[in-house]
Amino acid sequence: MDLRTVLICLISLLAAKGLCQMSMFEQWQKDGDLRLEITTDWDTLHATKNDDELDALMVYNGEEWEMKVQLRGVYRRRSCDFPPFWINLKKGDLRDRGLIDEFDKFKVVTHCVNNEEGQNNQYEEKLIYELYGLLTDESYRVVDAEIVYRYPDDSKPATTARILLLEPTDELAARLGGEEYEQYGISYDSLDARNYNRLALFQFMVGNYDWDYVVQRNVKMFSGHTHYRMVPYDFDFSAIVYPEYARLSGDWPQKDFRDRIFKGKHFYDQLPASQEEFLQKEDEILEFVKNYPHLSKSRCREIMAYLRRFFKVLGNKKTELVDGFILRHL
């Protein structure tokens, strides 16, 4: 681990104890009921095709922040009413306000359709991030916020919606004591076996087939230890979320979007230990879902029923999980 990474980790630890600077993300976590107002020409942003950055102004806790916004993603741009985007703050503004300036770019997950179902989808995705956090610290932290979209000079009416803000990847890397590794085609024997099996089982648990470590599809790879470790993100194609734009897998004989597909291909000799890790967390995971404040009680019960099916199969000694194993939705 290099000196810079050590210092960032130490700063983050001290910030968590209230003894030193914190990052903007940590400040947003601390705030609780987070509300942002962002003013820019949203129509122009939606029309950009080359990922140009637009100037924007954010109001947060009564203070104005000059910043940039930039479109991101591909599929949601085509399928949703409002595309996801990046927030890029100025390092100088972070320093001036006593915050760590290393982590200044934030991934914003927006609604697909601005209605109750769309808002529920966001909370369902947030729930998945938080469930992974129950299993390991090798996970993205996430906060939800209310956002007000404003146009310059109030040329159009403002709209209000919910968003998710993800921990910056470089902040996550510092917290894990490593660095992001973006090279494709990594060999499986370079991966951390426990990390790999945990990720594969978790994706199976939530019904998400939309990931691949070879091309780093919806996973981030991190160096810094003997073997590479992965952290998953973007769970909108999971069965728990089941968005309007969900589609069946073209690579597997999936009959129902809620059919689970196990995509673990390696380290089968260590899989039983990983399965036991999940089984030991069963009560904690189900209790967390049961008491989840952002979803209705009926929706929580539906998700719990879906998860119980996973745990039942996982605890069955006759179950042999191999690549391509399909657990049909009842």
Side-chain angles (χ1 to χ4, degrees), residues 275-296:
Q275 291 178 242
E276 184 60 31
E277 178 185 352
F278 275 77
L279 291 171
Q280 290 178 0
K281 286 282 188 176
E282 178 179 0
D283 290 343
E284 183 180 355
I285 287 173
L286 293 177
E287 188 69 15
F288 188 84
V289 175
K290 178 181 178 181
N291 297 312
Y292 201 62
H294 304 300
L295 297 171
S296 68

PDB file of all heavy atoms in Angstrom, residues 275-296:
ATOM      1  N   GLN A 275     -21.323 -20.578   1.141  1.00  0.00           N
ATOM      2  CA  GLN A 275     -22.743 -20.824   1.380  1.00  0.00           C
ATOM      3  C   GLN A 275     -23.056 -20.744   2.872  1.00  0.00           C
ATOM      4  O   GLN A 275     -24.080 -20.180   3.278  1.00  0.00           O
ATOM      5  CB  GLN A 275     -23.135 -22.198   0.827  1.00  0.00           C
ATOM      6  CG  GLN A 275     -23.103 -22.280  -0.694  1.00  0.00           C
ATOM      7  CD  GLN A 275     -23.436 -23.660  -1.212  1.00  0.00           C
ATOM      8  OE1 GLN A 275     -22.633 -24.316  -1.863  1.00  0.00           O
ATOM      9  NE2 GLN A 275     -24.628 -24.134  -0.921  1.00  0.00           N
ATOM     10  N   GLU A 276     -22.193 -21.284   3.684  1.00  0.00           N
ATOM     11  CA  GLU A 276     -22.396 -21.238   5.136  1.00  0.00           C
ATOM     12  C   GLU A 276     -22.351 -19.802   5.643  1.00  0.00           C
ATOM     13  O   GLU A 276     -23.098 -19.434   6.566  1.00  0.00           O
ATOM     14  CB  GLU A 276     -21.321 -22.075   5.827  1.00  0.00           C
ATOM     15  CG  GLU A 276     -21.489 -22.172   7.335  1.00  0.00           C
ATOM     16  CD  GLU A 276     -22.815 -22.798   7.740  1.00  0.00           C
ATOM     17  OE1 GLU A 276     -23.338 -23.655   6.990  1.00  0.00           O
ATOM     18  OE2 GLU A 276     -23.328 -22.427   8.818  1.00  0.00           O
ATOM     19  N   GLU A 277     -21.499 -18.971   5.038  1.00  0.00           N
ATOM     20  CA  GLU A 277     -21.438 -17.560   5.402  1.00  0.00           C
ATOM     21  C   GLU A 277     -22.798 -16.884   5.201  1.00  0.00           C
ATOM     22  O   GLU A 277     -23.251 -16.097   6.041  1.00  0.00           O
ATOM     23  CB  GLU A 277     -20.368 -16.860   4.551  1.00  0.00           C
ATOM     24  CG  GLU A 277     -20.240 -15.366   4.803  1.00  0.00           C
ATOM     25  CD  GLU A 277     -19.250 -14.699   3.843  1.00  0.00           C
ATOM     26  OE1 GLU A 277     -18.558 -15.421   3.095  1.00  0.00           O
ATOM     27  OE2 GLU A 277     -19.172 -13.459   3.854  1.00  0.00           O
ATOM     28  N   PHE A 278     -23.474 -17.209   4.106  1.00  0.00           N
ATOM     29  CA  PHE A 278     -24.798 -16.644   3.836  1.00  0.00           C
ATOM     30  C   PHE A 278     -25.828 -17.200   4.813  1.00  0.00           C
ATOM     31  O   PHE A 278     -26.668 -16.450   5.331  1.00  0.00           O
ATOM     32  CB  PHE A 278     -25.226 -16.947   2.400  1.00  0.00           C
ATOM     33  CG  PHE A 278     -24.717 -15.958   1.400  1.00  0.00           C
ATOM     34  CD1 PHE A 278     -23.397 -15.996   0.977  1.00  0.00           C
ATOM     35  CD2 PHE A 278     -25.544 -14.975   0.873  1.00  0.00           C
ATOM     36  CE1 PHE A 278     -22.919 -15.084   0.051  1.00  0.00           C
ATOM     37  CE2 PHE A 278     -25.081 -14.051  -0.053  1.00  0.00           C
ATOM     38  CZ  PHE A 278     -23.749 -14.105  -0.466  1.00  0.00           C
ATOM     39  N   LEU A 279     -25.782 -18.486   5.050  1.00  0.00           N
ATOM     40  CA  LEU A 279     -26.771 -19.104   5.935  1.00  0.00           C
ATOM     41  C   LEU A 279     -26.679 -18.537   7.350  1.00  0.00           C
ATOM     42  O   LEU A 279     -27.695 -18.383   8.033  1.00  0.00           O
ATOM     43  CB  LEU A 279     -26.580 -20.616   5.948  1.00  0.00           C
ATOM     44  CG  LEU A 279     -26.947 -21.330   4.639  1.00  0.00           C
ATOM     45  CD1 LEU A 279     -26.514 -22.793   4.677  1.00  0.00           C
ATOM     46  CD2 LEU A 279     -28.456 -21.232   4.367  1.00  0.00           C
ATOM     47  N   GLN A 280     -25.479 -18.215   7.779  1.00  0.00           N
ATOM     48  CA  GLN A 280     -25.315 -17.618   9.094  1.00  0.00           C
ATOM     49  C   GLN A 280     -25.883 -16.204   9.162  1.00  0.00           C
ATOM     50  O   GLN A 280     -26.192 -15.705  10.247  1.00  0.00           O
ATOM     51  CB  GLN A 280     -23.835 -17.610   9.478  1.00  0.00           C
ATOM     52  CG  GLN A 280     -23.264 -18.987   9.777  1.00  0.00           C
ATOM     53  CD  GLN A 280     -21.789 -18.946  10.109  1.00  0.00           C
ATOM     54  OE1 GLN A 280     -21.162 -17.888  10.131  1.00  0.00           O
ATOM     55  NE2 GLN A 280     -21.210 -20.121  10.364  1.00  0.00           N
ATOM     56  N   LYS A 281     -26.030 -15.561   8.018  1.00  0.00           N
ATOM     57  CA  LYS A 281     -26.563 -14.197   7.945  1.00  0.00           C
ATOM     58  C   LYS A 281     -28.062 -14.174   7.617  1.00  0.00           C
ATOM     59  O   LYS A 281     -28.650 -13.092   7.497  1.00  0.00           O
ATOM     60  CB  LYS A 281     -25.811 -13.403   6.877  1.00  0.00           C
ATOM     61  CG  LYS A 281     -24.400 -12.981   7.271  1.00  0.00           C
ATOM     62  CD  LYS A 281     -24.431 -11.787   8.196  1.00  0.00           C
ATOM     63  CE  LYS A 281     -23.047 -11.230   8.459  1.00  0.00           C
ATOM     64  NZ  LYS A 281     -23.090 -10.010   9.290  1.00  0.00           N
ATOM     65  N   GLU A 282     -28.664 -15.336   7.456  1.00  0.00           N
ATOM     66  CA  GLU A 282     -30.060 -15.398   7.007  1.00  0.00           C
ATOM     67  C   GLU A 282     -30.987 -14.577   7.897  1.00  0.00           C
ATOM     68  O   GLU A 282     -31.770 -13.741   7.403  1.00  0.00           O
ATOM     69  CB  GLU A 282     -30.540 -16.847   6.955  1.00  0.00           C
ATOM     70  CG  GLU A 282     -32.006 -16.988   6.541  1.00  0.00           C
ATOM     71  CD  GLU A 282     -32.472 -18.424   6.472  1.00  0.00           C
ATOM     72  OE1 GLU A 282     -31.663 -19.344   6.754  1.00  0.00           O
ATOM     73  OE2 GLU A 282     -33.661 -18.639   6.123  1.00  0.00           O
ATOM     74  N   ASP A 283     -30.951 -14.797   9.194  1.00  0.00           N
ATOM     75  CA  ASP A 283     -31.870 -14.094  10.097  1.00  0.00           C
ATOM     76  C   ASP A 283     -31.646 -12.585  10.050  1.00  0.00           C
ATOM     77  O   ASP A 283     -32.605 -11.799  10.028  1.00  0.00           O
ATOM     78  CB  ASP A 283     -31.695 -14.601  11.530  1.00  0.00           C
ATOM     79  CG  ASP A 283     -32.197 -16.026  11.704  1.00  0.00           C
ATOM     80  OD1 ASP A 283     -32.958 -16.497  10.834  1.00  0.00           O
ATOM     81  OD2 ASP A 283     -31.816 -16.669  12.698  1.00  0.00           O
ATOM     82  N   GLU A 284     -30.389 -12.171  10.016  1.00  0.00           N
ATOM     83  CA  GLU A 284     -30.072 -10.739   9.981  1.00  0.00           C
ATOM     84  C   GLU A 284     -30.574 -10.103   8.692  1.00  0.00           C
ATOM     85  O   GLU A 284     -31.138  -8.996   8.703  1.00  0.00           O
ATOM     86  CB  GLU A 284     -28.568 -10.536  10.124  1.00  0.00           C
ATOM     87  CG  GLU A 284     -28.155  -9.065  10.161  1.00  0.00           C
ATOM     88  CD  GLU A 284     -26.651  -8.882  10.302  1.00  0.00           C
ATOM     89  OE1 GLU A 284     -25.930  -9.894  10.460  1.00  0.00           O
ATOM     90  OE2 GLU A 284     -26.197  -7.716  10.249  1.00  0.00           O
ATOM     91  N   ILE A 285     -30.400 -10.790   7.568  1.00  0.00           N
ATOM     92  CA  ILE A 285     -30.841 -10.258   6.278  1.00  0.00           C
ATOM     93  C   ILE A 285     -32.359 -10.142   6.233  1.00  0.00           C
ATOM     94  O   ILE A 285     -32.910  -9.104   5.836  1.00  0.00           O
ATOM     95  CB  ILE A 285     -30.324 -11.157   5.135  1.00  0.00           C
ATOM     96  CG1 ILE A 285     -28.818 -10.945   4.961  1.00  0.00           C
ATOM     97  CG2 ILE A 285     -31.061 -10.863   3.831  1.00  0.00           C
ATOM     98  CD1 ILE A 285     -28.172 -11.907   3.986  1.00  0.00           C
ATOM     99  N   LEU A 286     -33.055 -11.182   6.658  1.00  0.00           N
ATOM    100  CA  LEU A 286     -34.519 -11.163   6.628  1.00  0.00           C
ATOM    101  C   LEU A 286     -35.080 -10.116   7.589  1.00  0.00           C
ATOM    102  O   LEU A 286     -36.068  -9.436   7.275  1.00  0.00           O
ATOM    103  CB  LEU A 286     -35.069 -12.546   6.962  1.00  0.00           C
ATOM    104  CG  LEU A 286     -34.779 -13.643   5.933  1.00  0.00           C
ATOM    105  CD1 LEU A 286     -35.314 -14.984   6.418  1.00  0.00           C
ATOM    106  CD2 LEU A 286     -35.368 -13.300   4.567  1.00  0.00           C
ATOM    107  N   GLU A 287     -34.453  -9.971   8.726  1.00  0.00           N
ATOM    108  CA  GLU A 287     -34.905  -8.961   9.689  1.00  0.00           C
ATOM    109  C   GLU A 287     -34.690  -7.553   9.140  1.00  0.00           C
ATOM    110  O   GLU A 287     -35.519  -6.658   9.345  1.00  0.00           O
ATOM    111  CB  GLU A 287     -34.153  -9.130  11.008  1.00  0.00           C
ATOM    112  CG  GLU A 287     -34.657  -8.272  12.156  1.00  0.00           C
ATOM    113  CD  GLU A 287     -36.036  -8.686  12.653  1.00  0.00           C
ATOM    114  OE1 GLU A 287     -36.488  -9.810  12.319  1.00  0.00           O
ATOM    115  OE2 GLU A 287     -36.655  -7.882  13.386  1.00  0.00           O
ATOM    116  N   PHE A 288     -33.587  -7.361   8.449  1.00  0.00           N
ATOM    117  CA  PHE A 288     -33.300  -6.058   7.843  1.00  0.00           C
ATOM    118  C   PHE A 288     -34.367  -5.703   6.815  1.00  0.00           C
ATOM    119  O   PHE A 288     -34.853  -4.563   6.771  1.00  0.00           O
ATOM    120  CB  PHE A 288     -31.915  -6.080   7.187  1.00  0.00           C
ATOM    121  CG  PHE A 288     -31.435  -4.737   6.710  1.00  0.00           C
ATOM    122  CD1 PHE A 288     -30.814  -3.865   7.581  1.00  0.00           C
ATOM    123  CD2 PHE A 288     -31.612  -4.341   5.390  1.00  0.00           C
ATOM    124  CE1 PHE A 288     -30.365  -2.614   7.153  1.00  0.00           C
ATOM    125  CE2 PHE A 288     -31.170  -3.110   4.947  1.00  0.00           C
ATOM    126  CZ  PHE A 288     -30.544  -2.237   5.836  1.00  0.00           C
ATOM    127  N   VAL A 289     -34.748  -6.666   5.986  1.00  0.00           N
ATOM    128  CA  VAL A 289     -35.782  -6.429   4.976  1.00  0.00           C
ATOM    129  C   VAL A 289     -37.128  -6.189   5.649  1.00  0.00           C
ATOM    130  O   VAL A 289     -37.887  -5.282   5.265  1.00  0.00           O
ATOM    131  CB  VAL A 289     -35.872  -7.615   3.997  1.00  0.00           C
ATOM    132  CG1 VAL A 289     -37.030  -7.415   3.019  1.00  0.00           C
ATOM    133  CG2 VAL A 289     -34.566  -7.789   3.240  1.00  0.00           C
ATOM    134  N   LYS A 290     -37.436  -6.976   6.640  1.00  0.00           N
ATOM    135  CA  LYS A 290     -38.716  -6.858   7.342  1.00  0.00           C
ATOM    136  C   LYS A 290     -38.930  -5.448   7.884  1.00  0.00           C
ATOM    137  O   LYS A 290     -40.048  -4.908   7.843  1.00  0.00           O
ATOM    138  CB  LYS A 290     -38.775  -7.873   8.488  1.00  0.00           C
ATOM    139  CG  LYS A 290     -40.049  -7.806   9.318  1.00  0.00           C
ATOM    140  CD  LYS A 290     -39.999  -8.829  10.454  1.00  0.00           C
ATOM    141  CE  LYS A 290     -41.246  -8.734  11.333  1.00  0.00           C
ATOM    142  NZ  LYS A 290     -41.182  -9.714  12.453  1.00  0.00           N
ATOM    143  N   ASN A 291     -37.879  -4.824   8.375  1.00  0.00           N
ATOM    144  CA  ASN A 291     -37.982  -3.508   9.010  1.00  0.00           C
ATOM    145  C   ASN A 291     -37.523  -2.371   8.106  1.00  0.00           C
ATOM    146  O   ASN A 291     -37.270  -1.267   8.592  1.00  0.00           O
ATOM    147  CB  ASN A 291     -37.168  -3.498  10.308  1.00  0.00           C
ATOM    148  CG  ASN A 291     -37.698  -4.484  11.331  1.00  0.00           C
ATOM    149  OD1 ASN A 291     -38.888  -4.530  11.595  1.00  0.00           O
ATOM    150  ND2 ASN A 291     -36.810  -5.298  11.886  1.00  0.00           N
ATOM    151  N   TYR A 292     -37.409  -2.655   6.806  1.00  0.00           N
ATOM    152  CA  TYR A 292     -36.910  -1.615   5.905  1.00  0.00           C
ATOM    153  C   TYR A 292     -37.915  -0.478   5.817  1.00  0.00           C
ATOM    154  O   TYR A 292     -39.076  -0.694   5.435  1.00  0.00           O
ATOM    155  CB  TYR A 292     -36.642  -2.203   4.516  1.00  0.00           C
ATOM    156  CG  TYR A 292     -35.691  -1.361   3.700  1.00  0.00           C
ATOM    157  CD1 TYR A 292     -34.392  -1.153   4.132  1.00  0.00           C
ATOM    158  CD2 TYR A 292     -36.092  -0.777   2.512  1.00  0.00           C
ATOM    159  CE1 TYR A 292     -33.501  -0.386   3.394  1.00  0.00           C
ATOM    160  CE2 TYR A 292     -35.210  -0.009   1.768  1.00  0.00           C
ATOM    161  CZ  TYR A 292     -33.916   0.182   2.220  1.00  0.00           C
ATOM    162  OH  TYR A 292     -33.036   0.950   1.489  1.00  0.00           O
ATOM    163  N   PRO A 293     -37.514   0.742   6.160  1.00  0.00           N
ATOM    164  CA  PRO A 293     -38.488   1.828   6.327  1.00  0.00           C
ATOM    165  C   PRO A 293     -39.012   2.438   5.029  1.00  0.00           C
ATOM    166  O   PRO A 293     -40.040   3.123   5.044  1.00  0.00           O
ATOM    167  CB  PRO A 293     -37.695   2.871   7.126  1.00  0.00           C
ATOM    168  CG  PRO A 293     -36.265   2.639   6.727  1.00  0.00           C
ATOM    169  CD  PRO A 293     -36.143   1.160   6.515  1.00  0.00           C
ATOM    170  N   HIS A 294     -38.328   2.202   3.913  1.00  0.00           N
ATOM    171  CA  HIS A 294     -38.663   2.930   2.686  1.00  0.00           C
ATOM    172  C   HIS A 294     -39.678   2.208   1.802  1.00  0.00           C
ATOM    173  O   HIS A 294     -40.133   2.777   0.804  1.00  0.00           O
ATOM    174  CB  HIS A 294     -37.392   3.186   1.876  1.00  0.00           C
ATOM    175  CG  HIS A 294     -36.335   3.923   2.643  1.00  0.00           C
ATOM    176  ND1 HIS A 294     -36.550   5.177   3.172  1.00  0.00           N
ATOM    177  CD2 HIS A 294     -35.077   3.568   2.977  1.00  0.00           C
ATOM    178  CE1 HIS A 294     -35.455   5.578   3.781  1.00  0.00           C
ATOM    179  NE2 HIS A 294     -34.554   4.628   3.687  1.00  0.00           N
ATOM    180  N   LEU A 295     -39.995   0.957   2.139  1.00  0.00           N
ATOM    181  CA  LEU A 295     -40.933   0.172   1.333  1.00  0.00           C
ATOM    182  C   LEU A 295     -42.127  -0.237   2.184  1.00  0.00           C
ATOM    183  O   LEU A 295     -42.036  -0.327   3.404  1.00  0.00           O
ATOM    184  CB  LEU A 295     -40.238  -1.071   0.775  1.00  0.00           C
ATOM    185  CG  LEU A 295     -39.061  -0.825  -0.182  1.00  0.00           C
ATOM    186  CD1 LEU A 295     -38.337  -2.135  -0.486  1.00  0.00           C
ATOM    187  CD2 LEU A 295     -39.525  -0.170  -1.470  1.00  0.00           C
ATOM    188  N   SER A 296     -43.234  -0.505   1.516  1.00  0.00           N
ATOM    189  CA  SER A 296     -44.438  -0.923   2.230  1.00  0.00           C
ATOM    190  C   SER A 296     -44.217  -2.282   2.883  1.00  0.00           C
ATOM    191  O   SER A 296     -43.360  -3.063   2.465  1.00  0.00           O
ATOM    192  CB  SER A 296     -45.626  -0.987   1.268  1.00  0.00           C
ATOM    193  OG  SER A 296     -45.446  -2.054   0.344  1.00  0.00           O
TER     194      SER A 296
END
